[in-house]
Amino acid sequence: QVQLVESGGGLVQAGGSLRLSCAASGRIFSIGAMDWYRRAPGKQRELVASITSGGSTNYLDCVKGRFTIFRDNAKNTMYLQMNSLKPEDTARYYCNADIRTTMWSASNDYWGQGTQVTVSS
Protein backbone atom coordinates (compact mmCIF):
# COMPACT_ATOMS: atom_id res chain seq x y z
CA GLN A 1 0.00 0.00 0.00
CA VAL A 2 1.28 3.43 -0.94
CA GLN A 3 0.28 6.69 0.70
CA LEU A 4 0.94 10.28 -0.24
CA VAL A 5 0.46 12.80 2.53
CA GLU A 6 0.54 16.54 1.93
CA SER A 7 1.23 19.12 4.61
CA GLY A 8 2.13 22.77 4.95
CA GLY A 9 -1.04 24.47 3.79
CA GLY A 10 -2.70 27.26 5.69
CA LEU A 11 -3.90 30.84 5.68
CA VAL A 12 -1.45 33.52 4.61
CA GLN A 13 -1.66 37.15 3.56
CA ALA A 14 -0.97 38.19 0.00
CA GLY A 15 2.75 38.48 -0.56
CA GLY A 16 3.49 35.78 1.97
CA SER A 17 5.07 32.36 1.59
CA LEU A 18 4.24 28.75 2.30
CA ARG A 19 6.09 25.50 1.74
CA LEU A 20 4.06 22.43 0.93
CA SER A 21 5.40 18.92 1.45
CA CYS A 22 4.30 15.61 -0.02
CA ALA A 23 5.66 12.50 1.64
CA ALA A 24 5.31 9.11 0.01
CA SER A 25 5.32 6.01 2.19
CA GLY A 26 4.58 2.31 2.01
CA ARG A 27 5.77 -0.25 -0.45
CA ILE A 28 7.86 1.81 -2.86
CA PHE A 29 10.44 0.53 -5.29
CA SER A 30 10.87 3.75 -7.26
CA ILE A 31 9.20 7.08 -7.82
CA GLY A 32 9.11 8.69 -11.23
CA ALA A 33 7.58 12.05 -12.00
CA MET A 34 5.89 13.94 -9.20
CA ASP A 35 3.43 16.79 -9.62
CA TRP A 36 1.52 19.42 -7.72
CA TYR A 37 -2.04 20.13 -8.83
CA ARG A 38 -4.57 22.54 -7.46
CA ARG A 39 -8.30 23.00 -7.62
CA ALA A 40 -10.03 26.21 -6.69
CA PRO A 41 -13.78 26.32 -5.97
CA GLY A 42 -15.74 26.35 -9.21
CA LYS A 43 -12.65 25.83 -11.34
CA GLN A 44 -11.00 22.96 -13.14
CA ARG A 45 -8.05 21.19 -11.61
CA GLU A 46 -4.79 22.53 -12.99
CA LEU A 47 -1.24 21.28 -13.04
CA VAL A 48 0.90 23.71 -11.08
CA ALA A 49 4.36 22.17 -11.28
CA SER A 50 6.09 18.93 -12.21
CA ILE A 51 9.45 17.40 -11.46
CA THR A 52 11.03 14.29 -12.96
CA SER A 53 13.10 11.80 -11.03
CA GLY A 54 16.16 13.49 -12.51
CA GLY A 55 15.09 16.92 -11.33
CA SER A 56 13.77 18.53 -14.51
CA THR A 57 10.92 20.90 -13.76
CA ASN A 58 7.95 22.57 -15.43
CA TYR A 59 5.60 25.24 -14.15
CA LEU A 60 2.22 26.74 -14.85
CA ASP A 61 2.91 30.13 -16.43
CA CYS A 62 1.22 32.14 -13.70
CA VAL A 63 3.43 30.67 -10.97
CA LYS A 64 6.76 30.88 -12.76
CA GLY A 65 9.25 32.90 -10.77
CA ARG A 66 7.16 32.57 -7.60
CA PHE A 67 6.91 28.82 -6.99
CA THR A 68 9.73 26.29 -6.84
CA ILE A 69 9.25 22.54 -6.94
CA PHE A 70 11.97 20.26 -5.62
CA ARG A 71 12.32 16.78 -4.19
CA ASP A 72 14.43 14.74 -1.82
CA ASN A 73 14.62 11.29 -3.36
CA ALA A 74 16.24 9.80 -0.27
CA LYS A 75 13.18 10.80 1.76
CA ASN A 76 10.60 10.10 -0.95
CA THR A 77 9.38 13.65 -0.42
CA MET A 78 8.48 16.47 -2.76
CA TYR A 79 8.09 20.13 -1.89
CA LEU A 80 6.54 23.25 -3.32
CA GLN A 81 7.98 26.54 -2.12
CA MET A 82 5.42 29.24 -2.79
CA ASN A 83 6.49 32.87 -2.53
CA SER A 84 4.73 36.13 -3.34
CA LEU A 85 1.39 34.42 -2.92
CA LYS A 86 -1.68 35.99 -4.45
CA PRO A 87 -5.38 35.56 -3.61
CA GLU A 88 -5.80 33.73 -6.93
CA ASP A 89 -3.46 31.01 -5.62
CA THR A 90 -6.16 30.04 -3.15
CA ALA A 91 -7.01 26.39 -3.79
CA ARG A 92 -6.67 22.89 -2.48
CA TYR A 93 -3.27 21.56 -3.51
CA TYR A 94 -2.76 17.90 -4.31
CA CYS A 95 0.35 15.89 -4.97
CA ASN A 96 0.53 13.16 -7.55
CA ALA A 97 3.30 10.64 -8.08
CA ASP A 98 4.14 7.90 -10.52
CA ILE A 99 5.23 4.97 -8.33
CA ARG A 100 6.44 1.43 -8.88
CA THR A 101 5.91 -0.85 -5.93
CA THR A 102 8.22 -3.64 -7.10
CA MET A 103 11.00 -4.11 -9.63
CA TRP A 104 8.62 -6.08 -11.85
CA SER A 105 5.49 -3.95 -11.66
CA ALA A 106 4.37 -1.16 -13.92
CA SER A 107 4.07 2.26 -12.39
CA ASN A 108 0.78 3.59 -11.10
CA ASP A 109 -0.54 7.02 -10.32
CA TYR A 110 -1.10 7.90 -6.67
CA TRP A 111 -2.78 10.93 -5.17
CA GLY A 112 -2.73 12.58 -1.80
CA GLN A 113 -5.77 13.96 0.02
CA GLY A 114 -4.74 17.56 -0.51
CA THR A 115 -3.89 20.53 1.65
CA GLN A 116 -5.77 23.83 1.64
CA VAL A 117 -3.99 27.06 0.80
CA THR A 118 -5.88 30.29 1.40
CA VAL A 119 -4.38 33.65 0.51
CA SER A 120 -6.11 36.72 1.89
CA SER A 121 -5.92 40.10 0.20
Side-chain angles (χ1 to χ4, degrees):
Q1 191 77 358
V2 173
Q3 277 193 317
L4 295 181
V5 178
E6 301 97 333
S7 61
L11 173 64
V12 65
Q13 287 189 327
S17 298
L18 285 173
R19 178 178 288 186
L20 305 184
S21 300
C22 170
S25 63
R27 188 177 185 181
I28 297 171
F29 173 74
S30 66
I31 303 177
M34 301 182 80
D35 312 296
W36 285 102
Y37 285 82
R38 68 186 182 189
R39 175 172 277 161
K43 294 188 178 180
Q44 299 269 22
R45 183 181 66 191
E46 59 184 357
L47 176 60
V48 177
S50 299
I51 185 167
T52 66
S53 57
S56 296
T57 59
N58 276 296
Y59 296 92
L60 184 66
D61 282 347
C62 63
V63 307
K64 285 180 181 176
R66 300 188 297 121
F67 291 9
T68 302
I69 187 172
F70 57 103
R71 61 194 283 175
D72 184 335
N73 290 331
K75 295 182 178 179
N76 289 337
T77 300
M78 171 179 65
Y79 305 91
L80 185 68
Q81 178 66 41
M82 305 187 295
N83 298 329
S84 302
L85 282 161
K86 303 176 181 181
E88 51 263 44
D89 294 317
T90 295
R92 191 163 185 86
Y93 285 71
Y94 298 87
C95 68
N96 172 269
D98 198 34
I99 296 175
R100 292 172 66 192
T101 55
T102 70
M103 181 184 297
W104 306 275
S105 62
S107 60
N108 285 297
D109 239 14
Y110 292 87
W111 290 88
Q113 293 298 307
T115 185
Q116 180 67 35
V117 171
T118 303
V119 185
S120 63
S121 56

